[in-house]
Amino acid sequence: MTALLQVEDLHVWFDLQDGGELHAVQGVSVGVERGERLGLVGESGCGKTTTVLALMGLLPPSASASGRVLLEGTDVLAGGEASMRPHRWSDVAIVFQGAMNALNPVRTIGSQIVEAIELHGEAGGKAARAQTGELLESVGIPAARASRFPHELSGGMRQRAAIAMALSCHPKVLIADEPTTALDVMVQAQILELLDSLCRDFGLALILVTHDLPVVAQLCDHGAVMYAGEIVERGLVDTLYHAPRHPYTRLLFAATPDLGHETEEIVSIPGAPPRLDQPLVGCPFRPRCDSAFEPCATSRPLLRRVADRHAAACHLNDRPSQAPG
Amino acid sequence: MSAVGAPLLDVDDLVVRYPVPRGLIGLLRRRPQLAVHAVEGVTLVVEAGELVALVGESGCGKTTTAQAVLRLVDPLSGSIRFQGDDITQLGMRALRPLRRRMQIVYQDPYESLDPRLRVQATVEEPLLIHRMGGSKGERASLVSDALARAGLSPPELFLDRFPHQLSGGQRQRVAIAAALVLDPQLLVADEPVSMLDVSVRAGVLRLLEELKASGLGILMITHDLSTAARFADRIAVMYLGRIVEEGPAGEVVRNPQHPYTKALLSVVPRRDPRMRRRPQILRGETPDAVRIPSGCRFHPRCPIAIDVCTTEDPSLRRTDSTQSPHHRAACLLA
């Protein structure tokens, strides 16, 4: 059976003003199946947002991409805009962090959703308005509020409206880029609950892009940890927390304060990620790693299978006695 | 002269309201003057060498409380005592020497630092404003000391840099150094790590811990209960302008008394996927601070409210099931 969405060996470069190139995404391979939730985790600049923009075909003109983005077996990246266009929003949709920026401030949320439905030929006129009402209800906004402007809604309600708009063409995959970052914890919980029920009720596949490991731990089945433009570890979220095979994954969890572990030492990871406008030699995490050894300085570890449904890019896994974690 | 044994900061029954503009028509029609009840009777103590976390959602009044403490906004009533001295009514001139003893670090080091100033100038500026530090050479050594204290060492490595040449964590340390250079006794930290990457947050929080150990009193404003639980000595939970629960951090987190605190704790995502619990999600949103609900301000969203909660406004008091005498909650049913 072909995968619902499969990204293979994705690379993205940005042209820099000084003539150089920034290699933002360096060979990312990742996929989701129907109803599956994947958390794409990493810190700022790791390439997680660029990865999802590339697979939506929404990169700016200064960027170039290579690799394959397979939607039910069809490569939508190869043919550029012409091959992506029929699938964007109708098969893969995205919700961004600042819902205020995704919504037009001078138009009601209802009219914006109606327009999305009509543009994609889903329905027209009365039928489109009826569908809009249903969509709003499905994300927890009373249909009567379709006539509200974005500024009349709270942050949480705006994020719900943005989710409704993303769902207007019945996508199979929903990408949510930091959907709760600007929201309060209680509103965050409401939005996470909504995403959870959308996946459950409609078999929607979810790619959650975030810097927040606990959010992934609570909502996703699988996680992919990104560092310096590549996925350094991928597996079930339970495995990532309880049996990580990359030091960065282990340290990220250890850097995250957790209720119930109030007396535990919280680690900070010294140093900063490498610059991506220069070629990387050896393991990109080596300068910050607490368990680097000889090969890490010279050879770049590849993402390899370490167990069933579990892959990591760390030389320590070649020495079974010293497996990290 | 400061009173001996008085707490570093002693806030009593503080009230801050912001008037809502009525507009000309409202004025002509003599509509009643409405106000945002930002802070409605907050009582709070911060001792030297203590880190107190003020926790709550946006709009709960935590930042206004901090601004009033620093006398950046004027309270309507209540009192603020700093080292025993009542500073509630002090004028601008009298406040000046106090300002250096109470400093603030803001959330976003990308905005709080002047992009055109080098680190040296940023950290030196407070000294110039307060006409402190003596000669140029003496100021330079104070700047270096402050940078070193903020964990930027050796200082020479950072003095000539501009903010854009620093990482987020380093910028926040520069902002902290600019506060420390005046040798304050109280530091207000408004969401000091929320804009930083996870991997550097712990470093900044540990720095606050070290400063606390050296005798500084710290009031940390945060929405992050996990961070408060780990780094604060005491936690005060705010809802709609009131502290609804307050106590030793471990007590509040492990044995919460107020239904709002319980709900907040239940929705905090945990690192361990096996710890997925059924969060107790409060429906709707915090009501508007212009129209505070009658009785207990939490009753419209409270899962356990009874009739009396709609009429009686509970005060912060000890409850039967708390272990610490300093653990208090404002709930009729706790």
Side-chain angles (χ1 to χ4, degrees), chain A residues 18-227:
Chain A
D18 61 9
E21 264 186 343
L22 189 134
H23 197 173
V25 178
Q26 313 198 352
V28 161
S29 298
V30 77
V32 278
E33 293 297 344
R34 210 168 298 276
E36 206 173 72
R37 306 107 177 260
L38 170 77
L40 201 54
V41 196
E43 298 182 89
S44 38
C46 73
K48 55 191 192 300
T49 294
T50 306
T51 298
V52 294
L53 288 180
L55 69 87
M56 286 289 292
L58 290 174
L59 288 171
S62 66
S64 51
S66 80
R68 303 206 297 163
V69 175
L70 301 168
L71 248 175
E72 295 177 309
T74 312
D75 190 348
V76 295
L77 190 68
E81 179 62 15
S83 65
M84 185 65 225
R85 203 180 169 88
H87 301 284
R88 191 187 298 135
W89 305 117
S90 27
D91 286 321
V92 193
I94 188 164
V95 181
F96 295 101
Q97 173 175 358
M100 198 62 188
N101 301 332
L103 299 167
N104 184 338
V106 298
R107 292 185 47 195
T108 66
I109 54 168
S111 73
Q112 296 184 55
I113 297 173
V114 167
E115 181 186 65
I117 293 172
E118 288 179 343
L119 264 180
H120 286 84
E122 294 274 328
K126 213 171 185 174
R129 281 197 296 278
Q131 263 189 38
T132 298
E134 283 167 29
L135 269 170
L136 288 174
E137 295 277 355
S138 75
V139 299
I141 302 179
R145 293 211 199 161
S147 58
R148 299 284 181 92
F149 289 93
H151 74 266
E152 296 177 302
L153 302 175
S154 66
M157 281 293 165
R158 280 202 292 269
Q159 194 56 283
R160 286 172 191 268
I163 292 172
M165 194 149 80
L167 296 179
S168 59
C169 302
H170 313 288
K172 302 178 178 106
V173 183
L174 179 68
I175 300 170
D177 189 358
E178 302 275 11
T180 62
T181 300
L183 303 176
D184 274 319
V185 273
M186 194 57 71
V187 184
Q188 164 171 291
Q190 293 170 353
I191 297 291
L192 295 179
E193 183 192 44
L194 170 64
L195 291 173
D196 184 58
S197 69
L198 290 173
C199 293
R200 231 180 266 274
D201 301 347
F202 303 118
L204 200 63
L206 176 73
I207 301 180
L208 180 72
V209 180
T210 180
H211 68 284
D212 195 337
L213 274 173
V215 166
V216 170
Q218 294 304 304
L219 189 66
C220 298
D221 329 297
H222 300 263
V225 180
M226 286 190 73
Y227 188 77

Side-chain angles (χ1 to χ4, degrees), chain B residues 89-104:
Chain B
Q89 304 297 333
L90 287 188
M92 273 308 185
R93 187 181 289 270
L95 270 175
R96 217 160 192 216
L98 271 171
R99 295 241 188 259
R100 125 188 131 64
R101 283 150 60 191
M102 37 195 346
Q103 287 288 305
I104 183 163

Side-chain angles (χ1 to χ4, degrees), chain B residues 218-255:
Chain B
I218 301 177
L219 180 62
M220 179 167 79
I221 295 166
T222 180
H223 67 279
D224 182 354
L225 270 163
S226 311
T227 298
R230 171 63 186 78
F231 289 92
D233 299 304
R234 285 189 297 122
I235 292 178
V237 180
M238 280 190 82
Y239 184 78
L240 264 184
R242 275 280 169 80
I243 291 176
V244 295
E245 181 157 5
E246 199 226 301
E251 276 277 307
V252 170
V253 169
R254 278 189 296 273
N255 186 21

